[in-house]
Amino acid sequence: MRILVTGGAGYIGSHTCLELLNSGHQVVVVDNLSNSSVEALKRVEQLTGQSIKFYQADIRDEKALSAIFAAEKVDAVIHFAGSKAVGESVAKPLFYYENNVSASGLLMQVMLQHQVKTLVFSSSATVYGEPVSSPIREDFAVHPESPYGRSKLMVEQIMSDLVVAQPDFSAISLRYFNPVGAHESGLIGEDPNGIPNNLMPFINQVAIGRRPYLSVFGDDYDTPDGTGVRDYIHVCDLASGHVKALETLHQNAGFHVFNLGTGQGVSVLEMVDAYRRISGQLIAYQVAPRRPGDIACYYGDPSLAAEKLGWKAERGLDQMVADSWKWQKLNPHGYTRRS
Ligand code: NAD
Ligand code: UDP
């Protein structure tokens, strides 16, 4: 298939482009490079020996988007483009609703104008909000607690309404748990802008000496060691989930939602220990107050994706850490698009 990947130069998008090419698909990327570097796509080309058609464009630009669809005749879209920082979404809600919700609506409109009726969307486990328990299943109640989370849920609702109006439209929303790691080559990985918000990129920067220590946000939660528990998933497993979703969509019309996670909870201190053991680096940390809004324990039940998509995460914690560290060591300043 010929696939349009929005946000394909980003962290998850670049790994998915690689997986798509390795699975025999052709890839067209549209990305405005607001949070990424075109170097990621060059490296995907280097790793696969195949080329990617790249458009530097904003998906909010209807004219540009329409011209890309007219020129490329794609079969399906995987939609990663958007903004993803929870804190920023609280400060700039209108921007998040524009860049995540309005832009996605526009994308679907342009898809229909060009008779493209297959869509895979990047959602987030954050749509569940505080769950009654973990593991979290897809049929649990959704009550996102930030504009970011609400923007993801709104797009899911638009997709769900669209398939009612257009019964030949097929849409899958993938609710990711915590993506970490990098391709095993160490050539592509996560390149956060500024001070990382997330645990793994922060540990990466402590390990490489860019930051003196990790603040562990709370050690008095009701979890085995008192620190927060999450469902970390290797980005390459996440990427293969998209390819499976895409290949299934052609057989299944309608709107479907799947969790992508491992189903295993890992605490902050377990992650620090694994990183120390595998990298051989000292990961200094200090216990700090709880981060507002954090939930003690959050992990998914991935069995629906196993049953319906034939997908399962294959890489464990040690590989997540080893691949993150390799990426960080080979690229201490990321793709060096910024200082
Ligand atoms: P990322 O920032 O690395 O990738 C997003 C890409 O979209 C970037 O390359 C950015 O330049 C591009 N982009 C943003 N707005 C655009 C626009 N208007 N037009 C064109 N391109 C635009 O983020 P990521 O971690 O790869 O996340 C990809 C998707 O997955 C996002 O939608 C995010 O919300 C979702 N997601 C991410 C996580 C995570 O922890 N990384 C978890 C759950 C869901
Ligand atoms: N965390 C931490 N220090 C950091 C960043 C995160 O202790 O510098 C903890 C956080 O409190 C949570 C876990 O690590 O328990 C995962 O946080 P992250 O922001 O990566 O993911 P999210 O909370 O959005 O699932």
Side-chain angles (χ1 to χ4, degrees):
M1 282 187 270
R2 189 165 174 80
I3 315 299
L4 181 76
V5 183
T6 75
Y11 172 45
I12 305 169
S14 56
H15 288 81
T16 303
C17 289
L18 183 116
E19 185 71 19
L20 285 166
L21 291 169
N22 283 340
S23 306
H25 300 290
Q26 295 169 351
V27 173
V28 178
V29 167
V30 49
D31 197 305
N32 65 2
L33 302 181
S34 58
N35 195 37
S36 53
S37 165
V38 74
E39 177 63 20
L41 295 177
K42 291 191 183 141
R43 294 190 187 181
V44 171
E45 291 183 326
Q46 184 188 331
L47 282 164
T48 58
Q50 298 177 62
S51 64
I52 292 174
K53 187 77 179 280
F54 173 60
Y55 292 89
Q56 182 170 354
D58 195 301
I59 59 159
R60 291 168 293 173
D61 179 345
E62 183 174 0
K63 224 172 132 194
L65 204 54
S66 195
I68 294 167
F69 273 89
E72 295 298 338
K73 308 269 181 284
V74 296
D75 301 298
V77 175
I78 303 183
H79 177 33
F80 295 102
S83 304
K84 62 169 182 175
V86 172
E88 185 188 45
S89 79
V90 174
K92 299 181 186 170
L94 296 182
F95 175 69
Y96 271 68
Y97 292 124
E98 181 198 328
N99 206 39
N100 290 2
V101 184
S102 307
S104 298
L106 182 65
L107 173 67
M108 286 181 241
Q109 195 178 308
V110 175
M111 286 176 67
L112 285 183
Q113 283 161 2
H114 293 270
Q115 280 79 47
V116 179
K117 295 180 177 167
T118 307
L119 174 65
V120 177
F121 172 62
S122 292
S123 187
S124 168
T126 195
V127 298
Y128 295 112
E130 179 137 21
V132 280
S133 60
S134 282
I136 302 166
R137 286 195 320 268
E138 289 84 349
D139 59 1
F140 277 27
V142 282
H143 36 76
E145 286 159 14
S146 68
Y148 169 68
R150 283 189 279 278
S151 76
K152 291 293 175 187
L153 187 58
M154 286 177 195
V155 177
E156 289 193 356
Q157 288 164 336
I158 295 171
M159 292 165 76
S160 165
D161 287 341
L162 181 59
V163 301
V164 173
Q166 300 277 339
D168 55 347
F169 198 93
S170 308
I172 283 186
S173 181
L174 300 174
R175 293 178 178 164
Y176 313 156
F177 280 77
N178 292 58
V180 295
H183 186 255
E184 61 185 3
S185 63
L187 284 184
I188 56 172
E190 186 171 14
D191 184 11
N193 198 356
I195 301 173
N197 291 313
N198 296 115
L199 180 66
M200 192 65 133
F202 204 102
I203 297 181
N204 276 341
Q205 295 193 2
V206 174
I208 204 76
R210 281 175 66 179
R211 313 219 173 254
Y213 63 89
L214 169 75
S215 294
V216 173
F217 298 142
D219 67 349
D220 56 354
Y221 284 106
D222 184 17
T223 59
D225 65 17
T227 64
V229 167
R230 295 290 183 274
D231 183 346
Y232 298 96
I233 173 170
H234 195 294
V235 65
C236 293
D237 281 329
L238 204 56
S240 73
H242 290 75
V243 178
K244 291 277 190 195
L246 192 70
E247 291 170 352
T248 320
L249 261 174
H250 277 265
Q251 301 147 22
N252 294 312
F255 174 61
H256 308 273
V257 171
F258 296 101
N259 286 339
L260 293 187
T262 63
Q264 306 285 323
V266 172
S267 76
V268 176
L269 290 184
E270 282 173 328
M271 183 64 92
V272 168
D273 280 347
Y275 212 110
R276 276 186 183 150
R277 178 166 48 78
I278 285 161
S279 68
Q281 300 298 104
L282 177 73
I283 310 295
Y285 71 84
Q286 291 181 4
V287 175
R290 290 180 179 195
R291 187 171 61 177
D294 265 0
I295 291 163
C297 182
Y298 212 79
Y299 60 94
D301 177 344
S303 54
L304 191 65
E307 186 193 327
K308 303 280 187 197
L309 305 179
W311 171 89
K312 203 166 150 294
E314 286 170 356
R315 297 160 180 88
L317 182 62
D318 285 10
Q319 192 168 351
M320 298 179 207
V321 171
D323 292 340
S324 265
W325 175 229
K326 185 169 185 185
W327 153 254
Q328 189 65 50
K329 257 191 315 187
L330 291 177
N331 307 272
H333 295 280
Y335 294 113
T336 67
R337 67 188 187 279
R338 316 174 187 98
S339 56

